[in-house]
Amino acid sequence: MRTIISTLLALSVYTLSLLGTTAQAQHRHHREGHPAGAIVSGQVSTTESGQKQAVDFATVYLKGSSSGGSTDEQGRYRLKAQAGDYTLVVSAIGYDPVERAVSLKRGEHLELDIDLTPRAQALDEVTVVSTGVSRVQRSAYNTVAVDTREMRNSTKNLSDALAKAPGMKLRESGGVGSDMQLMLDGFSGKHIKVFIDGVPQEGVGSSFSLNNIPISFADRIEIYKGVVPVGFGTDAIGGVINIVTNKQRRNWFLDAAYSYGSFNTHKSHVNFGQSFKNGLTYEINLFQNYSDNNYQVDADHVEQWNADGSSIITDEVFRVKRFNDTYHNEAAVAKVGVTGKPWADRLMLGFTYSRMYKEVQTGVRQYTVFGEKHRRGHSLMPSLEYSKRDLLTRGLDLSFTANYNRNLTTNIDTASYRYNWFGERIRKTNGRGEQSEQYARAYNDNWSATLTLNYRINKANTLTFNNVWNLFHRTNASLLTGTEIENEFAKDTRKNIAGLSYRLMPSDRWNLSIFGKYYDQRVSGPMATDDKGTDYVMVHRSVQQAGYGAAGTCFVLPELQAKLSYEKAYRLPTIEEMFGDEDLESGQVNLRPENSHNVNLNLSYSRTLGRHSFYLEGGLLYRNTRDYIQRNIQDLSGGKENATYTNYGKVVTKGYTLSARYSLARWLSLGGNFSHMDIRDMEKYQIGSTGNSTPNLTYKARMANVPYMFADSDINLYWHDLGRKGNLLTLTYDNQYLHSFCYNSEVIGTNSSAYMIPDQFSHNLAISYSLHNGRYNLSLECRNFTDERLYDNFSLQKAGRAFYGKIRVHFGD
């Protein structure tokens, strides 16, 4: 690791020396002047908030000559060149580049003013390289973006869209509304943080998990793999998913859709809004999901009862239908405010309401079956969003968000019967409850605020400061007696993460970022003092840590880009890991933060030859993680189980990803991704053994329940102007492959198929037809058309073959 740090420091010194050499060369260039010829000069400006403003430090050069420079504080530029035909190129960070053809004659002085258009708010420049997938090229971080606009006619949700990105895998425990985890470069679950427009989504409730949000909610999804910019102010080790919504001013718009499919699945959304000339803007987003989730699964642990009430458990595999798995959720997101004002580029007040109802069919494994267990909840969240470019001084940008979320979740488990997989039941003889008798409510209060300051010192130098503050409070109450009895133990956490970064970008060919982060967390909550979990004591603890890192990128060739990044990172335990979900997940309040050395190397190549476009990408990654937080299964009395979390010594991840895409004009696009992650237990001795005397039997074995090899590919065919001009027919085929892996330790699992998740290869087909330039849209889909047996977390089986249809209309901008 010292070698890595030394290498990055050397790169930084080399960068600074190169910058100095470049500056000296530019000084000599201006002092020596140009041969007699022509002059082109003018002003570079932009129109913001109805006023024309100069753009300073914009890059201006004549393509095909050695003449170039930057604009001054008034946006003025002046170039000398020999007579001839050129292309004047003007670019600036935050604006779309402009090219103008110019013809210079000897002795002529040409005046040419340039007006730049501000780029839509984004963290960096996104260059589309092929259908649906983009590479954030200017960023030194390993970042890709998935364009969701072409998927809006499908029944996919936001989590489905992520499957196109290299190294990404979606892991679900069932059908609509089921628990979902994202896996990115070997890390999954809480290792990956989710944001919407840069706002962290921790603690917002299950209605806003990515597998419940429709694809139309976002314009694109940005994926930051491994090392994460300080602009997010997060403690993710695995990476960040940022959902980017459309923030452009639109006169008016309406987007509505409804879909119906297998297992009585209904999904719909309505999104409409308007921007007036005075800057007043509003937007309403409504969506819902409903499904019976009554698909068939293979059950190999089926309990049956004899006439005398005695039970028989057989190992025979039965094909059964799920029956206690209905799910529905509804959500409304409303925003109103102003845009384009001298004192605010964007000021929006928001209000979000969501609710959900979920029946619980199984425990954490497909072993226990429930027939009446369920939960319900609702959430209220007001929010504030403010942003301003050039605040107080040119180059200083501010962004601030704040929200408060009040979430109530009620878990109900009061059945007087036991159920089996056939839906048969028998009266219980030892009280109520299928997992554990409860009728309990959790009151969750979550406050969050994010401040980001970005200061463009000049074209080459930028400073960014970010601070995220979060406060969470949970109280519990039992309703079993008919009156609400509050639990005496409250659960609290306060988290603050601050980061500062410096970015050096002397040219479009390369740039370097260095950063530091400070983590502060304070936690209080109950911890069991006995094995039965009946006696508790309040525990208070605090954690302060500092992290750091660097990231650089360089265009080795115009088509070939290299990216290298390193971070000493920390991940603070999440709310779910410390406090659980008050049902099937048991928290551990004394969890320690994970700390990790992360290294990423990425090479990408893109080329366009006439009608043919090619894109290749490969990435290497290394993670050395201590105090790894692992999710395990704990067996309870009566054959029940729940999930627990524990710190696990040392885990090392080595892996690589490959991605390739090709497109032919406007009628063909195909591509695929392959990922291989070697995630090993590198703890030599059993944790807790006296004097490190007991060898760890799983030393160097793969970590349990973690897929290590998977791939996906897709083919898209397009027929433009089919029937009439502006119509489009799209045919899509895609597939997902998953190599077998153990959901228990492989030291045990490789000797028994009962512990193995088998190889899986699923296939999907979709056809959509858009009329009148996307105003009216129809689509049909068949998912898993070969009816493959699909499994995921701890052997939980997912749906087989399914059919869906969707209609969608879009009016306005």
Side-chain angles (χ1 to χ4, degrees):
M1 194 54 57
R2 291 181 178 177
T3 303
I4 296 171
I5 298 174
S6 301
T7 303
L8 290 168
L9 290 175
L11 179 60
S12 302
V13 173
Y14 172 75
T15 296
L16 293 174
S17 64
L18 183 59
L19 178 62
T21 304
T22 303
Q24 293 176 6
Q26 289 179 344
H27 177 73
R28 291 194 301 269
H29 180 73
H30 288 296
R31 185 181 65 233
E32 294 169 3
H34 291 272
I39 297 175
V40 56
S41 64
Q43 185 182 41
V44 178
S45 59
T46 187
T47 302
E48 296 186 14
S49 304
Q51 299 180 352
K52 198 169 187 178
Q53 300 180 7
V55 178
D56 55 355
F57 302 112
T59 299
V60 185
Y61 68 94
L62 291 172
K63 188 184 296 185
S65 77
S66 60
S67 182
S70 301
T71 58
D72 58 20
E73 294 182 356
Q74 287 75 44
R76 302 290 305 181
Y77 72 94
R78 179 185 174 92
L79 303 177
K80 290 183 179 181
Q82 294 183 344
D85 295 329
Y86 301 96
T87 299
L88 180 72
V89 180
V90 182
S91 63
I93 296 176
Y95 299 90
D96 293 328
V98 171
E99 295 188 4
R100 293 282 189 274
V102 296
S103 180
L104 301 180
K105 299 180 180 178
R106 185 178 179 85
E108 180 185 31
H109 185 167
L110 177 65
E111 285 282 346
L112 182 60
D113 293 337
I114 301 295
D115 187 53
L116 296 182
T117 302
R119 186 180 299 117
Q121 290 187 2
L123 290 177
D124 233 308
E125 180 179 346
V126 176
T127 302
V128 177
V129 294
S130 64
T131 303
V133 179
S134 311
R135 165 61 55 181
V136 184
Q137 288 193 326
R138 285 185 180 270
S139 173
Y141 301 92
N142 188 9
T143 313
V144 296
V146 177
D147 190 344
T148 63
R149 289 172 294 182
E150 69 168 26
M151 306 180 199
R152 290 183 179 176
N153 290 333
S154 72
T155 60
K156 292 181 178 180
N157 49 47
L158 289 180
S159 61
D160 294 326
L162 288 167
K164 273 196 166 187
M168 178 66 70
K169 186 185 185 312
L170 171 64
R171 305 185 70 187
E172 288 183 293
S173 61
V176 176
S178 63
D179 294 335
M180 180 271 301
Q181 290 184 345
L182 293 171
M183 182 172 178
L184 178 59
D185 287 351
F187 280 91
S188 63
K190 310 302 188 296
H191 296 95
I192 303 168
K193 303 294 185 178
V194 177
F195 291 74
I196 295 181
D197 291 326
V199 178
Q201 296 301 292
E202 186 174 347
V204 298
S206 61
S207 288
F208 265 81
S209 61
L210 294 185
N211 59 340
N212 289 329
I213 303 177
I215 196 73
S216 60
F217 190 83
D219 257 13
R220 69 177 185 277
I221 308 173
E222 296 174 341
I223 304 166
Y224 292 79
K225 306 170 68 175
V227 180
V228 178
V230 300
F232 287 108
T234 188
D235 54 334
I237 286 181
V240 157
I241 307 297
N242 186 36
I243 309 302
V244 182
T245 62
N246 191 335
K247 292 188 176 182
Q248 294 181 340
R249 290 187 59 177
R250 292 178 283 179
N251 291 330
W252 72 277
F253 67 94
L254 169 67
D255 195 311
Y258 168 77
S259 68
Y260 173 75
S262 299
F263 322 120
N264 196 27
T265 300
H266 305 258
K267 297 183 178 184
S268 62
H269 80 261
V270 178
N271 181 212
F272 62 94
Q274 191 172 8
S275 294
F276 300 93
K277 292 183 179 180
N278 62 0
L280 179 64
T281 300
Y282 74 88
E283 181 175 349
I284 307 294
N285 206 318
L286 311 170
F287 63 87
Q288 65 81 217
N289 302 280
Y290 176 91
S291 181
D292 290 339
N293 288 320
N294 55 347
Y295 58 90
Q296 291 186 324
V297 296
D298 299 309
D300 58 0
H301 184 87
V302 178
E303 184 176 18
Q304 295 175 282
W305 297 288
N306 297 319
D308 60 359
S310 60
S311 64
I312 301 174
I313 298 178
T314 176
D315 291 333
E316 183 181 353
V317 177
F318 292 93
R319 189 73 170 165
V320 297
K321 181 182 290 188
R322 295 172 72 104
F323 59 91
N324 182 48
D325 206 18
T326 297
Y327 175 86
H328 67 82
N329 77 302
E330 298 80 30
V333 183
K335 292 183 178 181
V336 62
V338 294
T339 59
K341 295 295 184 181
W343 43 272
D345 293 332
R346 184 177 176 87
L347 175 61
M348 302 293 288
L349 297 175
F351 183 83
T352 300
Y353 171 77
S354 63
R355 66 178 185 180
M356 69 87 181
Y357 171 83
K358 177 179 175 62
E359 295 175 347
V360 182
Q361 173 74 96
T362 69
V364 291
R365 288 186 296 191
Q366 194 168 292
Y367 177 85
T368 307
V369 57
F370 303 131
E372 298 181 33
K373 184 176 173 63
H374 63 282
R375 66 174 61 113
R376 60 174 181 264
H378 68 268
S379 176
L380 298 170
M381 186 172 67
S383 62
L384 170 68
E385 174 189 349
Y386 175 79
S387 62
K388 180 69 178 77
R389 289 176 59 89
D390 298 327
L391 178 71
L392 302 178
T393 184
R394 181 173 295 278
L396 178 63
D397 302 337
L398 178 143
S399 176
F400 175 78
T401 63
N403 63 66
Y404 163 69
N405 183 32
R406 173 71 163 176
N407 176 268
L408 274 67
T409 301
T410 304
N411 290 297
I412 303 170
D413 187 3
T414 58
S416 299
Y417 295 89
R418 288 166 53 197
Y419 287 79
N420 66 11
W421 277 108
F422 297 112
E424 301 167 344
R425 68 181 189 178
I426 186 172
R427 183 171 289 276
K428 291 173 60 67
T429 59
N430 55 346
R432 299 189 303 170
E434 299 178 88
Q435 171 85 0
S436 60
E437 183 182 8
Q438 68 165 324
Y439 184 4
R441 183 171 295 155
Y443 297 88
N444 302 294
D445 296 288
N446 193 78
W447 293 264
S448 180
T450 303
L451 172 69
T452 303
L453 291 171
N454 194 69
Y455 182 49
R456 303 182 305 278
I457 303 172
N458 51 38
K459 175 186 176 293
N461 301 275
T462 302
L463 288 173
T464 300
F465 171 79
N466 177 276
N467 192 88
V468 173
W469 175 83
N470 180 266
L471 177 65
F472 176 82
H473 175 77
R474 176 187 290 173
T475 57
N476 300 90
S478 174
L479 291 80
L480 279 172
T481 61
T483 59
E484 189 167 312
I485 302 176
E486 185 173 339
N487 190 307
E488 60 178 311
F489 296 110
K491 301 172 182 179
D492 297 274
T493 178
R494 190 189 74 188
K495 183 166 65 174
N496 191 85
I497 302 174
L500 179 66
S501 73
Y502 165 70
R503 182 186 189 186
L504 174 65
M505 187 176 177
S507 74
D508 289 336
R509 285 194 57 192
W510 65 274
N511 66 79
L512 173 71
S513 294
I514 56 175
F515 59 87
K517 297 178 181 179
Y518 178 75
Y519 310 86
D520 182 16
Q521 186 181 45
R522 303 177 190 275
V523 181
S524 66
M527 184 176 70
T529 57
D530 63 344
D531 294 336
K532 296 180 180 180
T534 56
D535 294 324
Y536 293 87
V537 63
M538 284 297 292
V539 174
H540 306 272
R541 65 177 182 84
S542 62
V543 175
Q544 292 82 35
Q545 298 286 356
Y548 52 86
T553 183
C554 176
F555 281 90
V556 182
L557 299 171
E559 302 87 3
L560 179 63
Q561 183 180 19
K563 294 188 177 188
L564 175 65
S565 58
Y566 163 78
E567 181 179 12
K568 169 61 172 175
Y570 289 86
R571 186 180 77 83
L572 305 176
T574 65
I575 295 166
E576 292 81 4
E577 291 169 332
M578 292 184 295
F579 305 140
D581 68 352
E582 310 299 335
D583 189 15
L584 298 175
E585 302 271 338
S586 297
Q588 187 63 262
V589 71
N590 60 348
L591 284 175
R592 297 183 299 276
E594 294 178 324
N595 68 89
S596 178
H597 294 280
N598 301 339
V599 181
N600 293 271
L601 174 64
N602 181 272
L603 293 174
S604 60
Y605 179 86
S606 60
R607 185 73 182 272
T608 299
L609 298 173
R611 304 171 65 195
H612 306 274
S613 296
F614 304 89
Y615 180 74
L616 299 172
E617 178 184 334
L620 297 175
L621 63 97
Y622 172 83
R623 308 272 189 275
N624 188 336
T625 308
R626 292 192 175 274
D627 289 327
Y628 181 91
I629 298 177
Q630 185 180 27
R631 182 176 182 265
N632 297 312
I633 299 299
Q634 180 183 33
D635 291 324
L636 305 176
S637 61
K640 308 298 192 302
E641 67 275 320
N642 67 355
T644 63
Y645 295 90
T646 183
N647 287 113
Y648 192 86
K650 182 179 180 181
V651 175
V652 172
T653 302
K654 301 175 184 178
Y656 63 91
T657 61
L658 300 172
S659 181
R661 292 202 167 265
Y662 165 77
S663 61
L664 175 60
R666 297 194 304 160
W667 70 273
L668 172 65
S669 172
L670 59 90
N673 306 297
F674 175 82
S675 300
H676 187 280
M677 301 295 149
D678 195 18
I679 308 169
R680 300 281 178 174
D681 176 357
M682 300 304 292
E683 192 68 32
K684 289 185 179 181
Y685 302 97
Q686 286 187 16
I687 297 175
S689 63
T690 304
N692 290 335
S693 58
T694 306
N696 177 17
L697 296 179
T698 61
Y699 177 55
K700 291 188 177 181
R702 296 188 190 275
M703 295 299 290
N705 196 40
V706 180
Y708 65 90
M709 186 162 64
F710 48 92
D712 66 88
S713 63
D714 60 83
I715 302 174
N716 305 273
L717 297 171
Y718 308 93
W719 284 268
H720 291 268
D721 302 326
L722 182 65
R724 60 172 294 176
K725 188 174 179 61
N727 293 355
L728 173 64
L729 180 69
T730 304
L731 179 63
T732 299
Y733 161 77
D734 64 85
N735 58 53
Q736 291 83 38
Y737 169 77
L738 175 65
H739 191 274
S740 61
F741 64 96
C742 300
Y743 71 80
N744 208 326
S745 170
E746 70 172 2
V747 175
I748 303 172
T750 52
N751 297 323
S752 172
S753 61
Y755 294 105
M756 295 293 294
I757 304 295
D759 290 342
Q760 300 166 48
F761 193 25
S762 62
H763 310 263
N764 311 297
L765 279 174
I767 184 170
S768 66
Y769 188 42
S770 297
L771 300 89
H772 294 280
N773 295 308
R775 177 173 295 181
Y776 309 103
N777 307 271
L778 300 169
S779 63
L780 295 172
E781 297 180 41
C782 179
R783 297 191 183 183
N784 191 14
F785 62 78
T786 58
D787 203 22
E788 180 82 3
R789 301 302 200 256
L790 303 179
Y791 301 85
D792 216 319
N793 296 323
F794 292 108
S795 79
L796 294 170
Q797 191 170 352
K798 298 186 288 187
R801 184 186 296 115
F803 298 90
Y804 301 93
K806 181 177 180 178
I807 56 174
R808 172 176 170 258
V809 295
H810 177 81
F811 300 96
D813 296 350

